[in-house]
């Protein structure tokens, strides 16, 4: 199914514009580093879907989250930005697992949207603005460790919403080190 943002055009025309910046952030390796998981080689040779099945069926989501997320420290740079502004955590993977991670880190106050694949993120972001925010922000700031899907759709999002979109590449090297955020 093609995710065409044009379906929101008529609704967008009726939305109020506000002088508010809308902040959108990925979760894994943007807010919380998966460096420890990679270090312990939990993933091993498995591809993304195989890895998810392994975690779900062999380790168990709750045990995985308890071992790698609960009570862990992590940089609060992006969380602070999301909490001080209108924000959304927009991430891809398994919804049940992502919700457990968010709960373990006590981030439930920040709205969460989980998609199956990263390529769905721009569409779901626009949908969230139309259906949940119900206004057009003056800008969108996107924080991503792999921003390619937003780079590819930036002009379309800007054209449909008639606003500026700024994309920030985030690089993390563990949760106890400073993160690098660079506008692209």
């Amino acid at each position: 199914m093609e995710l065409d943002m044009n379906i929101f055009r008529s609704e967008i025309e009726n939305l109020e514009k506000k002088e508010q910046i809308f902040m959108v952030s990925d979760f894994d390796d943007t807010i919380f580093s998966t460096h420890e998981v990679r270090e312990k080689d939990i993933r091993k040779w498995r591809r993304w879907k195989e890895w998810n099945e392994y975690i779900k069926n062999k380790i168990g989501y709750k045990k995985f989250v308890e071992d790698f997320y609960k009570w862990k420290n992590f940089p609060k740079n992006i969380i602070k930005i999301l909490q001080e502004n209108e924000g959304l955590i927009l991430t891809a993977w398994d919804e049940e697992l992502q919700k457990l991670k968010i709960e373990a880190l006590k981030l439930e106050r920040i709205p969460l949207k989980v998609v199956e694949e990263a390529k769905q993120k721009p569409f779901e972001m626009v949908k969230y603005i139309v259906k949940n925010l119900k206004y057009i922000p003056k800008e969108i700031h996107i924080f991503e460790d792999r921003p390619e899907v937003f780079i590819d759709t930036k002009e379309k999002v800007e054209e449909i919403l008639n606003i500026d979109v700024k994309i920030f590449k985030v690089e993390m090297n563990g949760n106890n080190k400073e993160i690098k955020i660079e506008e692209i």
Side-chain angles (χ1 to χ4, degrees):
M1 177 180 136
E2 177 70 22
L3 299 175
D4 185 2
M5 291 180 249
N6 285 310
I7 67 170
F8 301 116
R9 280 195 188 273
S10 63
E11 289 177 85
I12 289 168
E13 289 174 9
N14 296 318
L15 293 177
E16 173 188 2
K17 280 203 164 200
K18 289 190 178 180
E19 288 297 309
Q20 176 89 22
I21 298 174
F22 182 53
M23 305 293 186
V24 178
S25 179
D26 182 34
F27 178 74
D28 293 301
D29 294 317
T30 303
I31 291 174
F32 190 92
S33 174
T34 61
H35 183 76
E36 183 182 0
V37 174
R38 289 190 309 272
E39 260 185 359
K40 300 229 181 191
D41 201 24
I42 298 298
R43 188 173 179 177
K44 305 219 182 286
W45 53 269
R46 296 170 189 88
R47 295 184 183 267
W48 182 81
K49 289 190 187 237
E50 293 168 329
W51 185 32
N52 192 55
E53 287 301 310
Y54 179 79
I55 293 169
K56 185 176 187 176
N57 298 320
K58 298 290 184 191
I59 300 172
Y61 282 167
K62 287 185 179 173
K63 171 107 175 85
F64 177 76
V65 168
E66 184 133 331
D67 289 350
F68 291 102
Y69 293 86
K70 197 165 189 165
W71 308 115
K72 301 286 183 170
N73 288 321
F74 62 99
K76 304 296 190 285
N77 309 51
I78 293 174
I79 293 304
K80 189 172 189 224
I81 292 168
L82 293 174
Q83 288 174 335
E84 290 175 354
N85 298 278
E86 191 79 47
L88 172 69
I89 298 173
L90 178 58
T91 189
W93 204 0
D94 180 273
E95 187 168 5
E96 180 184 355
L97 179 56
Q98 294 300 65
K99 283 182 177 179
L100 287 170
K101 292 177 189 179
I102 296 296
E103 290 169 10
L105 297 172
K106 307 281 188 233
L107 300 176
E108 304 98 320
R109 290 188 318 250
I110 301 169
L112 170 69
K113 177 67 184 162
V114 181
V115 297
E116 287 183 23
E117 297 179 52
K119 67 182 181 184
Q120 298 168 311
K121 288 181 176 184
F123 176 87
E124 290 297 330
M125 178 183 69
V126 172
K127 180 180 175 184
Y128 184 88
I129 289 169
V130 171
K131 303 291 185 184
N132 296 81
L133 283 186
K134 298 183 181 181
Y135 69 84
I136 305 297
K138 74 174 184 176
E139 282 184 358
I140 301 173
H141 292 186
I142 300 167
F143 299 88
E144 260 287 353
D145 63 311
R146 289 184 256 159
E148 297 78 16
V149 69
F150 287 107
I151 293 167
D152 293 344
T153 58
K154 180 180 187 278
E155 287 180 12
K156 182 70 173 174
V157 171
E158 288 179 327
E159 185 264 323
I160 284 180
L161 295 173
N162 193 27
I163 62 172
D164 289 327
V165 174
K166 293 183 179 181
I167 302 171
F168 299 86
K169 180 163 178 51
V170 178
E171 293 180 21
M172 297 185 84
N173 185 17
N175 285 311
N176 297 318
K177 299 180 178 145
E178 281 297 309
I179 63 175
K180 181 180 173 188
I181 302 173
E182 183 178 334
E183 185 175 353
I184 49 176

